[in-house]
Amino acid sequence: MRNEMMHRPVVKPELVEFMRNKQKKIQGELGVIEEEAHEAGVPIIPHETVVFLQFFLGQIKPKNILEIGTAIGFSSSLMAQCVGEDGHVTTIDRFDVMIRKAKVTYERLGLTDKVTLLEGQAAEILPTLSGPYDFIFMDSAKSKYIEFLPECLRLLPVGGVLMVDDVFQAGTILDPIEEIPRSQRTIHRKLNQFLETVMTHPDLTSTLLPLGDGVIMITKERELTE
């Protein structure tokens, strides 16, 4: 389960080392889970993204959060601790192994009332949700980002934020597609399509951050006209 993207930083290795090891650690049991995941090579968001997410959510103070891609439940647990007493996190995953691990995480942290885990394909579940969600975190199959985008934007209110993880394809996102391994070309093509769409859309504002394997933050400025 080694997360290869965490070992192919898109910025200088010494800066990645600084951001991952010098910033404040998570306190309590969630911090223990983070350390256990790193030691076991379980793919969770890197610590620099953790710190940013904590800071950002502390500023916007969302009450309803949607996550696409639960994994072991680490990031949804982090977000559940940032939404306040009346906040809630809804998360979606389709992999049985990850669903079981996430449920254990929520039980361990006492978050079963703060997090709703929807089991199944995001493409089928997203159209059934009514929202709105103040904040959406998408960290799932990279080739599906462009397909999930319309539903994510539908579920966001004006002023809502969509955060999308792992958009630099281990730093190869700008490489000619002929240089990309054939098994990765669909991801490469669709990630580029996704980035082009959100970065040029007249009703969206976006900014790229060199955290982990790349993060893009997208704000819905007005109701979409297209």
Side-chain angles (χ1 to χ4, degrees):
M1 296 180 67
R2 174 182 164 94
N3 186 356
E4 292 296 335
M5 298 308 182
M6 289 183 65
H7 300 278
R8 298 178 66 182
V10 296
V11 297
K12 293 173 65 175
E14 56 268 34
L15 290 177
V16 174
E17 184 75 11
F18 181 78
M19 290 190 292
R20 289 188 182 171
N21 296 309
K22 296 299 183 182
Q23 297 194 86
K24 187 180 295 184
K25 300 298 182 183
I26 302 176
Q27 301 300 306
E29 191 67 12
L30 186 60
V32 175
I33 292 173
E34 181 184 28
E35 291 301 319
E36 291 174 351
H38 289 325
E39 290 172 5
V42 174
I44 63 172
I45 56 175
H47 191 66
E48 64 270 29
T49 305
V50 169
V51 174
F52 171 79
L53 190 54
Q54 280 185 312
F55 176 84
F56 184 74
L57 294 181
Q59 301 305 303
I60 68 170
K61 296 179 172 55
K63 288 191 175 181
N64 291 302
I65 292 177
L66 174 65
E67 177 185 55
I68 306 169
T70 309
I72 66 167
F74 173 77
S75 52
S76 47
S77 296
L78 175 71
M79 293 188 289
Q81 294 184 354
C82 296
V83 293
E85 291 185 5
D86 57 344
H88 196 81
V89 176
T90 300
T91 183
I92 303 170
D93 209 287
R94 66 187 179 93
F95 294 108
D96 291 340
V97 172
M98 292 301 182
I99 289 168
R100 289 195 296 270
K101 290 179 181 293
K103 288 179 177 179
V104 170
T105 298
Y106 303 144
E107 289 282 353
R108 184 173 168 181
L109 294 168
L111 292 173
T112 53
D113 292 334
K114 296 286 290 182
V115 181
T116 297
L117 174 53
L118 303 178
E119 304 176 24
Q121 298 280 355
E124 298 174 0
I125 293 173
L126 286 171
T128 71
L129 302 178
S130 57
Y133 297 96
D134 312 301
F135 180 77
I136 299 177
F137 181 54
M138 186 154 59
D139 185 12
S140 57
K142 315 314 168 198
S143 63
K144 299 294 185 181
Y145 285 173
I146 188 66
E147 298 176 26
F148 296 160
L149 179 63
E151 288 296 333
C152 288
L153 295 177
R154 177 184 67 84
L155 292 167
L156 276 180
V158 172
V161 177
L162 168 62
M163 176 176 173
V164 184
D165 199 22
D166 296 334
V167 297
F168 287 166
Q169 203 180 14
T172 66
I173 191 65
L174 299 180
D175 291 353
I177 197 166
E178 295 79 15
E179 297 178 9
I180 303 297
R182 289 188 179 275
S183 62
Q184 300 294 311
R185 288 183 182 179
T186 296
I187 297 174
H188 183 83
R189 184 175 65 256
K190 290 193 172 184
L191 265 180
N192 272 286
Q193 183 185 0
F194 171 80
L195 290 173
E196 175 69 16
T197 299
V198 298
M199 291 171 64
T200 61
H201 197 289
D203 299 325
L204 305 175
T205 296
S206 62
T207 184
L208 287 160
L209 303 172
L211 299 170
D213 189 34
V215 165
I216 189 165
M217 309 292 291
I218 304 156
T219 300
K220 182 176 173 180
E221 299 289 356
R222 58 190 66 85
E223 290 301 334
L224 272 62
T225 57
E226 57 179 294

